[in-house]
Amino acid sequence: MKKMLETQFPGIDVVLENYPPPMPKRLLAKVVPAVQFGVIGIIMAGEQIFPMMGIMTPPPWYYSLRANRFGSIASTWLLGNFLQSFLQSSGAFEVYCNDELVFSKLKEGRFPGEIELKELVFKKLSTSRLEDGL
């Protein structure tokens, strides 16, 4: 989209920015790595960790995780990274022209096509030029 807009409208300045997700999602995204490392630590050293916590016999789920150590660690890592990525993403795609909103994916519920976006920006630029000329 950036290249298309720069090609269609020479001299236009296209700025790409990340739209921050809501605060609860950002906080949860910070907790995910700690949980990941906690689960991996339990898988690797559960025999020492559970007695320190006062639990003499580890719970049954520990043995199922321990039975396939590599698969459990890989799954924890991949699922944790997926969850963290999901929590850090806002799903926003917005286009502004002269500080006015031209298109918002969150409001429309869809992603714009190239032709549609080109026409929206052209219309906004044309309107701006007419207002500047008055």
Side-chain angles (χ1 to χ4, degrees), residues 77-115:
W77 191 258
L78 290 172
L79 289 173
N81 288 349
F82 169 76
L83 182 60
Q84 188 177 19
S85 175
F86 170 75
L87 290 170
Q88 290 175 339
S89 168
S90 66
F93 178 84
E94 294 179 335
V95 178
Y96 288 87
C97 185
N98 296 332
D99 294 329
E100 292 183 41
L101 185 64
V102 174
F103 186 89
S104 172
K105 179 185 166 209
L106 295 176
K107 288 181 182 175
E108 297 287 329
R110 61 184 178 79
F111 201 78
E114 284 187 19
I115 296 169

Side-chain angles (χ1 to χ4, degrees), residues 25-121:
K25 285 178 81 175
R26 280 187 281 177
L27 292 175
L28 276 174
K30 300 279 186 197
V31 172
V32 169
V35 172
Q36 275 180 303
F37 284 112
V39 170
I40 291 171
I42 287 173
I43 292 170
M44 296 300 292
E47 282 92 17
Q48 290 80 29
I49 293 173
F50 286 115
M52 285 180 183
M53 293 173 28
I55 304 170
M56 287 305 157
T57 47
W61 55 264
Y62 167 73
Y63 293 110
S64 61
L65 291 176
R66 183 72 188 227
N68 184 6
R69 190 183 297 187
F70 177 78
S72 298
I73 292 172
S75 297
T76 301
W77 191 258
L78 290 172
L79 289 173
N81 288 349
F82 169 76
L83 182 60
Q84 188 177 19
S85 175
F86 170 75
L87 290 170
Q88 290 175 339
S89 168
S90 66
F93 178 84
E94 294 179 335
V95 178
Y96 288 87
C97 185
N98 296 332
D99 294 329
E100 292 183 41
L101 185 64
V102 174
F103 186 89
S104 172
K105 179 185 166 209
L106 295 176
K107 288 181 182 175
E108 297 287 329
R110 61 184 178 79
F111 201 78
E114 284 187 19
I115 296 169
E116 177 188 13
L117 188 58
K118 180 176 70 170
E119 290 172 356
L120 289 169
V121 170

